[in-house]
Amino acid sequence: RAKLSRGKNEIDARIDLHGMTQTRAHRALHGFLQRAHHEGHTFVLVITGKGKAGGNEAERGVLRRQVPLWLSLPEFRSLVVGFEEAHIGHGGEGALYVRIRRARV
């Protein structure tokens, strides 16, 4: 995370999911991660958004809560090594750094 935020490691690709429905975001994220894995990317940025301010906290930031859960599912574990909250310069709590598993040759 520190190397990414300081620019020592590059973000190879990014996807912006905020504003999408859960179904559409799940599909888009899976396709994006498959392409990133196939293309040999190491780090990608997944932007979930922080959710709308105000309103019911339980309904706020659905993708922000769901994406980490999705990344732990078996369908994503074959593509993802790990993930963590992005640095504030890359979106902070509204984004995740995702490390892509190396493709087997």
Side-chain angles (χ1 to χ4, degrees):
R1 179 177 178 212
K3 287 182 180 181
L4 285 168
S5 65
R6 284 191 229 120
K8 300 226 188 255
N9 282 0
E10 291 293 316
I11 294 172
D12 298 311
R14 64 186 71 222
I15 185 171
D16 189 344
L17 301 175
H18 80 283
M20 292 186 188
T21 64
Q22 286 186 61
T23 303
R24 183 168 171 227
H26 186 276
R27 211 174 298 129
L29 179 61
H30 192 257
F32 171 74
L33 293 175
Q34 283 179 318
R35 284 188 302 281
H37 176 73
H38 179 72
E39 293 172 10
H41 293 327
T42 304
F43 290 102
V44 297
L45 183 67
V46 177
I47 302 165
T48 61
K50 296 177 185 173
K52 292 181 181 169
N56 185 349
E57 187 65 32
E59 295 175 7
R60 193 175 157 224
V62 174
L63 293 179
R64 185 173 141 206
R65 287 193 320 274
Q66 288 298 115
V67 169
L69 298 176
W70 295 343
L71 292 172
S72 299
L73 294 173
E75 65 190 288
F76 288 101
R77 293 308 308 165
S78 64
L79 304 169
V80 173
V81 174
F83 60 91
E84 63 182 307
E85 186 177 296
H87 182 269
I88 191 73
H90 288 134
E93 61 188 40
L96 296 168
Y97 295 132
V98 179
R99 184 167 184 173
I100 304 298
R101 192 172 300 281
R102 288 185 186 178
R104 292 191 179 149
V105 180

